[in-house]
Amino acid sequence: MKKIPLHWQILIGITGGIIVGLLCTQFAGGREFAIDWIKPFGTIFINLLKLIAIPLIIVSLIKGVSDLKDVTQLSALGFRTFGLYILTTVIAVSLGLALVNFIQPGNFITEDTRQDMLQSFAGEMQFKIDEATGIKETRGPLQVLVDIVPDNIFHAATANSNMLQIIFFSLLVGVAMITLPFGEIKSFKKVLDSGNAIVLKIVDIMMIFAPYGVFALLAALIAEAPSIDVFKALGMYAFTVVLGLVILVYGVYSFFIYFFGKMNPFHFFKAILPAQLLGFSTSSSAATLPVTMECAEENLGIRKEVLSFVLPIGATINMDGTCLYQGVAAIFIAQVMGYDLTMAQQLSVIATATLASIGAAAVPGAGILMLVIVLESIGVSPAGIALIFAVDRPLDMLRTSVNVSGDAMVATIINRVGTKKRMLSQEMDSGT
């Protein structure tokens, strides 16, 4: 297996998992076997990846920021990063709205099918609505800013859902290091270098088990899948989402990579394929972050100070795939439920989805909670979420791959811009 590239190993694991999952659905007790004896290994693999996410962000982000020359260089890097992330998010949700209005997948669902799905997933739907409602009731207009600043960094480090707080603390430490004389931070920088090397080696060790982890995840997912009839009923909705994701990744991202990143899109997608496949298998940007950073450095040649800053932030706030899905899902549910949305309401979907994506947990299922907020913003009953539960998990896997691709795309462009400015600066210095 060591002689086979990682992305091929993961593809073999995915294929094997799908085959075994299908076999488990064909005999009595197969589903229980997959859940009891196969799924735990997939859960262990995801836990391993999440285990290293926070240490990786802390050491790499502090190291990346402290390697910059001054605070002005950090502010320029931050402005470009946030600007690109917001731009791609708006493009993604706008693309989703355009496709769902053109295809109108809600017209393909019969009334009988709608009632059956509303009843089948009523329990799951109500749980998600209650969870989202509880979050909204405790959140004021500036709660997003409040949530960024932790009152206890050790408490913040106990959950991957607190990524923004970890990033804030790491940035604060990095900025403090920039402003101090090098002699005072020299020893700590050596500790960071060693810590970064250790964390990356742990990632390498974890990747040995990646094919087996994704095998277990896919086998359990197929075995637990609902009836195929439900998937047929939601086929046009799923087709609309998938079409939007494909256009976003291989159309929009390729355009950005070619014209702004000055890179062959084929080379880019080949370089990040292991991260895309892992994102597909785990449905978690946070769990995939170690591999995304490894691909960015080794395959794309992105500088450490750039990837250490851009990718952890992207895993937390850049949800292009999720926002596109929300645009499609919101209008699809409105179409099925008989709501006639105005242009103003559809434009509000863009704004709400963009804002809701900032700070959303980079974990499986976070998109559903965000969707409740989007639906309520346009006056559509969140009960309609039950219509899409059956296909949410496989679509979640796809949109996570898109989120990961978007993070790498922005990092590539930021790295290109920084390299170009550095070369111009060096030419000016040599000219003087």
Side-chain angles (χ1 to χ4, degrees), residues 4-123:
I4 304 176
L6 178 60
H7 63 274
W8 285 115
Q9 294 183 36
I10 295 177
L11 276 172
I12 293 171
I14 290 174
T15 304
I18 292 174
I19 294 173
V20 171
L22 290 172
L23 290 174
C24 288
T25 63
Q26 300 303 311
F27 61 88
R31 182 176 182 274
E32 290 73 18
F33 174 81
I35 294 173
D36 294 339
W37 296 97
I38 299 179
K39 186 177 181 179
F41 293 100
T43 304
I44 290 171
F45 178 63
I46 291 182
N47 289 345
L48 281 172
L49 291 171
K50 290 181 178 179
L51 171 68
I52 203 63
I54 288 179
L56 177 64
I57 287 177
I58 291 176
V59 296
S60 63
L61 193 53
I62 295 176
K63 176 176 167 29
V65 173
S66 64
D67 285 342
L68 299 174
K69 293 181 179 179
D70 51 43
V71 177
T72 58
Q73 191 176 359
L74 174 63
S75 62
L77 178 63
F79 179 79
R80 291 194 295 267
T81 300
F82 281 100
L84 269 174
Y85 280 145
I86 296 299
L87 174 62
T88 57
T89 298
V90 171
I91 291 174
V93 68
S94 301
L95 174 61
L97 288 177
L99 287 174
V100 73
N101 278 288
F102 177 75
I103 298 174
Q104 297 190 347
N107 296 336
F108 291 85
I109 301 292
T110 65
E111 179 62 24
D112 291 340
T113 302
R114 181 172 76 91
Q115 294 298 331
D116 289 343
M117 287 190 289
L118 286 173
Q119 293 176 8
S120 299
F121 297 97

Side-chain angles (χ1 to χ4, degrees), residues 201-232:
K201 178 53 66 175
I202 293 175
V203 172
D204 289 339
I205 295 172
M206 288 180 178
M207 286 304 98
I208 297 174
F209 303 99
Y212 310 102
V214 299
F215 166 85
L217 290 169
L218 266 295
L221 176 66
I222 297 298
E224 292 178 307
S227 167
I228 193 66
D229 294 333
V230 178
F231 287 98
K232 288 180 180 178

Side-chain angles (χ1 to χ4, degrees), residues 51-332:
L51 171 68
I52 203 63
I54 288 179
L56 177 64
I57 287 177
I58 291 176
V59 296
S60 63
L61 193 53
I62 295 176
K63 176 176 167 29
V65 173
S66 64
D67 285 342
L68 299 174
K69 293 181 179 179
D70 51 43
V71 177
T72 58
Q73 191 176 359
L74 174 63
S75 62
L77 178 63
F79 179 79
R80 291 194 295 267
T81 300
F82 281 100
L84 269 174
Y85 280 145
I86 296 299
L87 174 62
T88 57
T89 298
V90 171
I91 291 174
V93 68
S94 301
L95 174 61
L97 288 177
L99 287 174
V100 73
N101 278 288
F102 177 75
I103 298 174
Q104 297 190 347
N107 296 336
F108 291 85
I109 301 292
T110 65
E111 179 62 24
D112 291 340
T113 302
R114 181 172 76 91
Q115 294 298 331
D116 289 343
M117 287 190 289
L118 286 173
Q119 293 176 8
S120 299
F121 297 97
E124 293 180 70
M125 171 269 300
Q126 191 58 50
F127 174 78
K128 292 293 184 181
I129 291 177
D130 292 343
E131 188 176 357
T133 301
I135 293 173
K136 282 190 65 180
E137 289 177 351
T138 60
R139 296 180 70 85
L142 297 179
Q143 190 61 39
V144 173
L145 296 179
V146 175
D147 290 342
I148 292 176
V149 183
D151 58 359
N152 188 321
I153 187 58
F154 297 103
H155 179 265
T158 60
N160 284 342
S161 59
N162 299 327
M163 285 295 186
L164 275 179
Q165 297 183 351
I166 299 299
I167 290 172
F168 175 83
F169 174 78
S170 301
L171 288 174
L172 193 62
V173 174
V175 170
M177 292 178 66
I178 293 176
T179 59
L180 288 171
F182 180 76
E184 296 184 16
I185 63 171
K186 183 178 179 181
S187 299
F188 187 59
K189 282 186 72 69
K190 288 183 177 180
V191 172
L192 284 176
D193 290 340
S194 299
N196 190 55
I198 292 170
V199 169
L200 292 178
K201 178 53 66 175
I202 293 175
V203 172
D204 289 339
I205 295 172
M206 288 180 178
M207 286 304 98
I208 297 174
F209 303 99
Y212 310 102
V214 299
F215 166 85
L217 290 169
L218 266 295
L221 176 66
I222 297 298
E224 292 178 307
S227 167
I228 193 66
D229 294 333
V230 178
F231 287 98
K232 288 180 180 178
L234 291 172
M236 288 307 296
Y237 159 72
F239 169 77
T240 305
V241 175
V242 173
L243 177 62
L245 295 177
V246 169
I247 293 174
L248 179 64
V249 173
Y250 297 106
V252 177
Y253 288 175
S254 293
F255 175 86
F256 276 92
I257 285 295
Y258 184 78
F259 287 100
F260 300 105
K262 302 299 180 182
M263 180 182 292
N264 186 329
F266 178 80
H267 170 71
F268 170 79
F269 289 118
K270 182 180 179 181
I272 65 168
L273 185 57
Q276 287 181 316
L277 293 173
L278 199 61
F280 175 81
S281 305
T282 62
S283 298
S284 172
S285 299
T288 312
L289 180 59
V291 182
T292 309
M293 296 181 73
E294 189 173 47
C295 290
E297 182 177 2
E298 296 183 3
N299 300 342
L300 292 174
I302 297 176
R303 303 192 310 276
K304 285 187 177 181
E305 64 265 27
V306 172
L307 66 89
S308 298
F309 179 84
V310 176
L311 293 180
I313 292 177
T316 306
I317 71 170
N318 185 44
M319 302 286 177
D320 291 351
T322 302
C323 284
L324 184 146
Y325 138 82
Q326 287 174 347
V328 174
I331 307 304
F332 168 75

Side-chain angles (χ1 to χ4, degrees), residues 375-396:
L375 287 173
E376 291 186 342
S377 73
I378 57 175
V380 176
S381 172
I385 291 177
L387 296 169
I388 62 172
F389 260 122
V391 293
D392 183 68
R393 182 58 197 275
L395 292 180
D396 190 15

